[in-house]
Amino acid sequence: MLTLRTDGTARAWRHAVRTAVFVGASLAASAACAWSNHALCTWPALSVLPELTGRAPVKVESLSAFLAADPAALATVLRNEEAWAREHVPAYPSRPDSLAFAAEPVPAPQQLVAHFLAAVRVNPSARLALYLQLSPGQSAGSRTVLAETDVTVMKTDEAAKLNTFVALRESELVPAIDVIASAADEPDYGLDFGLWENSGTAHGAAYGFGKQPFGNPAVEWSSQGPLHLGYFHEAAIVYKAAPFLKRAYPEYRIHLWRSLAAFALRSGHDYWAWRFTGWGMHYLQDLTQPYHARVLPGVGVARMLWINTLDLAGVHGPKDSAIQLVTNRHFALENFERRWMRAAYANPAAADVGIEALRDTKLDAATPYDDDWPRQVVSSRANAAADAIDAALVALLQPKYVSDPAYVFGVTQTGVDTYAELGTATPAARESLKRAIAPLLGNLGATSRAFVRSVIADVRSPK
């Protein structure tokens, strides 16, 4: 146990904490998402949920049609939602009253959509197309294949894309599980880009979130970070030294989309009920990723203090190295998981520990989901697993990816496939890493099912 005995030591500790926070914030600045493709995990997780799989296909509906169906009731839902967030979300930046969704007068369809997006404080440039993501190997059939730019504002390399999107037509019928799985990846397509006062966007200036608390507001995907991660379980002294860490709002997004999902399901708009469910699920799934739940996995207090001491002395290399190493490990985990999931889809007849973990209903909690889950259950589990998964990555992947600060993952080399490389070089190591990651996927699967059940339960017994 560390005891602070002098003012000098206390000052050094506070500086060390800020160093660690800077490292964690650097992750938010560079990491686009927690899991590389949420849909790949969502399909197997929900495939064992009879409350969902037994439902009839749902009719596709435009957002404007949903909004126009009962704007008065929707205004009440959003008014109640804002009141809930102001009371329950720590350090919540209240939505300006001028952005409140008003039922009268009802504007034209496109103005109605813009009015809604402002009320829920979403990037007004978000595509919000009617689409599905296809699972690996699934045929588009007669549907039109969309470019990634049709569904995401994220700058992408079309030639290297791994996902296939198809257009939907209003009134066609689609399985609810496909709507949820597709939507579970959608918040990474730009919904939360540029929302901050210092983002340099018109909507950021209007939305009232204040300045971005950490990460780089000039980098699009970094600007979504404070809504997609939650450092909820750090030591008290960390929050004392870095109170801006409390300005992270995944709970706000989760509750908002869950409330809208229940409202849509209750009022007979099943397509948007499940799409909103997927959106809310995304932020929950983000919190199952340890690098979104711990500021600096793998670094203890003693090492943090040593890095700080050197930095105060003008030796900045250790701090720079720590930043790069943790960033590389974050990316390496995502790289391995995404390619692992795609390989599992390509060979569905083979047993796979990751798919089995996602489907494992023995992990489902006896207690139902409630508003405390994101912080007290989901993020807590990921935080507790952070050091172990960091150590597994260091032990099992090539040293250049996880232990060489001169290597920049995704920049020094392109087209890296850690899953294939590890399987070719040391298959036993690849299986070990899969077993190390599987509990994280189990947490994701159980959490996803609990969230869907909570939406259904809320419709049956509205609060």
Side-chain angles (χ1 to χ4, degrees):
M1 179 178 177
L2 180 68
T3 302
L4 304 182
R5 297 186 182 279
T6 69
D7 290 343
T9 303
R11 284 194 299 272
W13 167 245
R14 286 194 295 271
H15 189 91
V17 169
R18 292 189 181 99
T19 296
V21 169
F22 177 73
V23 175
S26 299
L27 294 176
S30 57
C33 51
W35 299 107
S36 293
N37 186 323
H38 289 246
L40 297 180
C41 293
T42 302
W43 274 303
L46 300 186
S47 68
V48 293
L49 187 61
E51 297 96 323
L52 184 67
T53 57
R55 288 177 175 259
V58 299
K59 185 167 67 174
V60 176
E61 179 184 30
S62 68
L63 179 57
S64 60
F66 163 69
L67 298 175
D70 193 348
L74 178 61
T76 298
V77 170
L78 293 178
R79 182 170 58 251
N80 293 340
E81 189 60 27
E82 178 65 17
W84 179 91
R86 292 182 184 188
E87 182 178 353
H88 292 93
V89 177
Y92 175 69
S94 298
R95 185 213 60 220
D97 291 339
S98 61
L99 299 181
F101 188 84
E104 299 290 345
V106 179
Q110 286 308 112
Q111 294 175 316
L112 187 62
V113 170
H115 186 31
F116 172 74
L117 295 182
V120 296
R121 293 192 282 183
V122 161
N123 177 8
S125 299
R127 297 291 185 256
L128 302 176
L130 297 178
Y131 78 99
L132 287 182
Q133 181 181 155
L134 300 183
S135 61
Q138 183 180 358
S139 171
S142 60
R143 289 188 171 118
T144 301
V145 175
L146 298 173
E148 290 203 354
T149 51
D150 291 325
V151 299
T152 176
V153 299
M154 178 81 75
K155 296 178 178 66
T156 63
D157 180 358
E158 283 286 333
K161 76 173 187 177
L162 293 175
N163 305 325
T164 301
F165 303 103
V166 295
L168 295 177
R169 301 180 307 277
E170 282 202 69
S171 298
E172 74 170 291
L173 299 176
V174 292
I177 191 172
D178 290 342
V179 176
I180 297 175
S182 298
D185 209 37
E186 194 174 2
D188 279 336
Y189 300 168
L191 265 62
D192 298 317
F193 282 3
L195 306 186
W196 307 94
E197 179 183 312
N198 54 341
S199 293
T201 63
H203 60 279
Y207 279 179
F209 279 112
K211 292 184 178 180
Q212 186 171 330
F214 43 82
N216 184 350
V219 179
E220 280 186 328
W221 56 81
S222 169
S223 69
Q224 75 177 22
L227 286 150
H228 290 242
L229 52 78
Y231 301 132
F232 298 143
H233 302 282
E234 302 295 332
I237 194 169
V238 172
Y239 301 118
K240 186 174 182 179
F244 56 82
L245 280 182
K246 294 181 179 179
R247 294 181 56 217
Y249 309 115
E251 293 163 297
Y252 157 57
R253 282 295 195 230
I254 292 164
H255 197 277
L256 170 66
W257 302 133
R258 180 180 173 276
S259 295
L260 284 168
F263 166 70
L265 194 60
R266 191 179 300 117
S267 56
H269 298 273
D270 290 14
Y271 172 79
W272 278 101
W274 300 128
R275 191 157 173 180
F276 287 138
T277 297
W279 289 5
M281 186 181 296
H282 176 98
Y283 300 85
L284 268 176
Q285 292 177 347
D286 272 0
L287 293 178
T288 66
Q289 218 273 39
Y291 290 96
H292 275 227
R294 174 80 70 84
V295 171
L296 197 60
V299 177
V301 171
R303 184 179 169 204
M304 198 183 301
L305 286 170
W306 176 240
I307 290 172
N308 171 73
T309 300
L310 294 176
D311 192 58
L312 286 174
V315 182
H316 307 302
K319 181 177 74 174
D320 295 339
S321 294
I323 292 171
Q324 193 58 57
L325 289 176
V326 177
T327 302
N328 285 350
R329 293 168 193 174
H330 188 162
F331 280 145
L333 173 59
E334 294 176 5
N335 181 280
F336 183 91
E337 174 268 334
R338 177 175 62 176
R339 285 158 175 81
W340 169 19
M341 288 295 104
R342 295 188 71 85
Y345 276 82
N347 189 14
D352 183 89
V353 66
I355 299 295
E356 290 174 356
L358 287 163
R359 292 174 174 164
D360 189 358
T361 58
K362 293 192 299 294
L363 300 173
D364 292 7
T367 55
Y369 177 94
D370 62 28
D371 294 340
D372 292 330
W373 264 56
R375 181 180 296 255
Q376 301 302 338
V377 178
V378 184
S379 174
S380 178
R381 290 172 180 169
N383 179 282
D387 288 342
I389 198 65
D390 190 79
L393 293 169
V394 171
L396 298 169
L397 290 180
Q398 288 192 52
K400 66 179 179 179
Y401 296 144
V402 291
S403 300
D404 181 0
Y407 185 91
V408 180
F409 201 99
V411 176
T412 302
Q413 291 176 274
T414 58
V416 172
D417 185 339
T418 55
Y419 181 82
E421 288 179 13
L422 196 58
T424 300
T426 50
R430 183 168 76 178
E431 292 306 307
S432 293
L433 187 53
K434 288 167 68 173
R435 288 193 295 273
I437 297 172
L440 305 180
L441 298 180
N443 185 23
L444 184 153
T447 297
S448 300
R449 289 187 293 275
F451 189 68
V452 172
R453 287 191 178 105
S454 78
V455 172
I456 296 171
D458 211 31
V459 171
R460 292 172 178 165
S461 303
K463 295 177 181 178

